């Protein structure tokens, strides 16, 4: 991680006592966390020796409060004189401060001159910027709580996810949006607000916004349905079409009439409906569309075949903040693995990775690096016209491959595994493609 520190010094006069002062500083671009510490002489000490006894007394002469104002003028937090250092990131913050996206621009320290000595007081601020860096994060994008038909509260679900080793979790109750402020704080877990818009004609997740649409979820006409999707898009939601071929809730809304970002091709245990979703996605890719995929457990409760993070979506994000996770999903910088501890994958062509596009040229190739594989696992490279087995693991471990791309189109990777004797191999990994234009 890269850090920068900014030091600021200000003199507050006794005439400014009782005022609130604003000290500006510039937040650079790409900051994941900001920490502010401040120092000043709060007490005056005096020594007195009477001959019979030596005394040292301390008198409070200065009290300077701390707060922070965001570029849009909103209060990012305030802590009075109780805390000498605070931090803020999108995912978490010191109590009294709000987790928030650290937008570049002019932020302002709010200094409350509650008490100032006759000669004034010097206040020093140390501002530390921790910059974003890309990292792999694993999470579940489709879960339910007792707010709809799940059995766990949001906090219980979050702690369950953290215990499973997940880095992020989207809460997507049926037709029950959850506000970001209502989500519990779970150490080392990013909770993403969402809702599974649930209709007789299909289900879709709206992720990352507190209120994707005004009014109720109900819609009776194609125009009313489209209005819900367009509202969610306008408010910045990431939209996924969920389990499009699930028998009880097949997606029968005209996809051309609505905006969406992702196709959920892997919902819960891999089964016939998921194979059909995978086939739909492949046909769209072969037709030239660039649609990223995602997976989610559709978790309601533990069963022998359903568990949190089954499957897990692995995302290459700039930070642990929800906005960066969703941006990476939107860009296709992700793959799906069957469990939180499932196998991993890197897929590159030069500097391009999954979800990226680059011009095709003769000699183009992709590099595959997969790990956490078991003996017998099959690695396939899939394009619009072929699905070639490029490796079969002779033993547990990793594999690295450099594979040619003979024509424009796309290239994606599947890892297939025989999970139980007598059952045909099923996906252990599905990747987003690299596109060769």
């Amino acid at each position: 991680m890269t850090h920068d520190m900014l030091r600021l010094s200000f003199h507050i006069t006794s005439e400014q006592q009782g005022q609130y002062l604003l000290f500006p500083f510039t937040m650079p671009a790409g900051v994941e966390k900001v920490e502010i510490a401040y120092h000043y002489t709060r007490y005056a000490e005096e020594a007195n020796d009477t001959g019979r006894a030596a005394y040292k007394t301390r008198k409070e002469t200065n009290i300077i409060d701390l707060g922070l104002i965001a570029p849009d003028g909103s209060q990012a937090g305030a802590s009075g004189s109780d805390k000498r250092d605070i931090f803020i990131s999108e995912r978490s913050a010191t109590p009294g401060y709000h987790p928030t996206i650290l937008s570049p621009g002019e932020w302002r320290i709010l200094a409350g001159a509650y008490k100032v000595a006759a000669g004034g007081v010097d206040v020093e601020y140390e501002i530390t910027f921790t910059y974003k860096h890309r990292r792999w994060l694993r999470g579940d994008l489709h879960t339910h709580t007792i707010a709809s038909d799940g059995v766990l509260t949001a906090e219980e679900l979050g702690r369950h996810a953290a215990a499973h080793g997940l880095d992020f979790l989207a809460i997507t109750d049926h037709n029950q949006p959850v506000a970001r402020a209502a989500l519990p704080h779970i150490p080392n877990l990013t909770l993403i607000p969402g809702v599974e818009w649930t209709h007789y004609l299909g289900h879709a997740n709206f992720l990352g916004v507190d209120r994707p649409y005004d009014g109720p979820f109900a819609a009776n006409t194609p125009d009313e349905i489209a209005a819900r999707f367009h509202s969610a898009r306008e408010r910045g939601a990431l939209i996924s079409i969920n389990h499009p071929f699930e028998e009880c809730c097949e997606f029968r809304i005209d996809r051309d009439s609505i905006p969406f970002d992702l196709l959920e091709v892997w919902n819960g245990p891999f089964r016939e409906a998921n194979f059909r979703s995978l086939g739909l996605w492949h046909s769209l890719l072969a037709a030239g569309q660039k649609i990223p995929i995602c997976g989610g457990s559709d978790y309601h409760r533990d069963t022998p075949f359903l568990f949190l993070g089954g499957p897990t979506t692995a995302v290459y994000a700039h930070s642990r903040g929800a906005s960066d996770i969703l941006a990476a999903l939107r860009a296709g910088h992700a793959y799906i693995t069957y469990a939180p501890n499932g196998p991993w994958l890197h897929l590159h062509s030069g500097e391009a990775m999954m979800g990226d596009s680059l011009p095709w040229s003769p000699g183009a190739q992709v590099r595959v690096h997969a790990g956490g594989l078991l003996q017998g696992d099959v690695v396939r490279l899939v394009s619009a016209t072929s699905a070639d087995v490029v490796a079969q693991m002779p033993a547990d471990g990793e594999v690295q491959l450099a594979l040619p791309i003979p024509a424009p189109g796309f290239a994606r990777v599947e890892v297939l595994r025989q999970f139980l004797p007598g059952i045909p191999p099923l996906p252990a990994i599905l990747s987003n493609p690299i596109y060769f234009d």
Side-chain angles (χ1 to χ4, degrees), residues 206 226 229-231 233 239 241 255-261:
F206 301 152
F229 281 78
H230 284 285
S231 174
R233 166 59 62 80
I239 303 173
I241 290 177
R255 294 192 308 273
D256 292 333
S257 70
I258 58 170
F260 67 96
D261 303 289

Side-chain angles (χ1 to χ4, degrees), residues 82-293:
D82 178 62
K83 298 175 175 67
R84 287 299 186 94
D85 54 85
I86 61 98
F87 80 92
I88 295 180
S89 70
E90 182 182 354
R91 195 183 68 84
S92 59
T94 299
Y97 292 78
H98 309 299
T100 187
I101 296 173
L102 299 176
S103 305
E106 184 179 277
W107 290 64
R108 290 172 292 172
I109 295 169
L110 179 63
Y114 180 69
K115 187 176 185 179
V116 183
V121 62
D122 293 317
V123 186
E124 296 182 354
Y125 296 91
E126 291 181 353
I127 306 173
T128 303
F129 306 108
T130 300
Y131 290 94
K132 296 179 180 182
H133 65 283
R134 298 179 85 178
R135 80 293 302 264
W136 283 103
L137 300 170
R138 293 188 170 207
D140 195 331
L141 293 167
H142 192 162
T143 67
H144 299 277
T145 74
I146 59 172
S148 58
D149 52 353
V151 299
L152 301 179
T153 66
E155 182 166 359
E156 289 168 339
L157 185 65
R159 295 193 183 281
H160 196 30
H164 272 63
L166 295 177
D167 300 300
F168 63 89
L169 185 76
I171 294 181
T172 57
D173 280 308
H174 297 288
N175 295 325
Q176 299 288 342
V178 59
R180 184 179 284 103
L183 295 172
H185 174 69
I186 308 294
N188 301 316
L189 181 74
T190 300
L191 284 172
I192 300 173
V195 61
E196 184 173 21
W197 183 79
T198 304
H199 192 276
Y200 305 130
L201 295 179
H203 298 185
N205 277 348
F206 301 152
L207 302 176
V209 299
D210 292 357
R211 191 177 180 185
Y213 44 78
D214 293 327
F217 71 91
N220 286 319
T221 67
D223 286 345
E224 290 176 350
I225 290 171
R228 300 297 183 274
F229 281 78
H230 284 285
S231 174
R233 166 59 62 80
E234 290 166 2
R235 296 181 187 192
L238 184 78
I239 303 173
S240 71
I241 290 177
N242 291 348
H243 43 65
F245 292 102
E246 193 62 27
E247 185 176 345
C248 66
C249 40
E250 185 173 346
F251 198 86
R252 291 178 285 129
I253 300 166
D254 178 11
R255 294 192 308 273
D256 292 333
S257 70
I258 58 170
F260 67 96
D261 303 289
L262 305 173
L263 193 63
E264 185 191 63
V265 300
W266 192 340
N267 175 276
F270 215 92
R271 54 199 187 278
E272 175 62 25
N274 288 330
F275 277 114
R276 294 181 66 190
S277 298
L278 183 58
L280 168 64
W281 177 56
H282 185 81
S283 68
L284 296 174
L285 294 178
Q289 297 189 45
K290 297 180 179 181
I291 299 174
I293 56 170

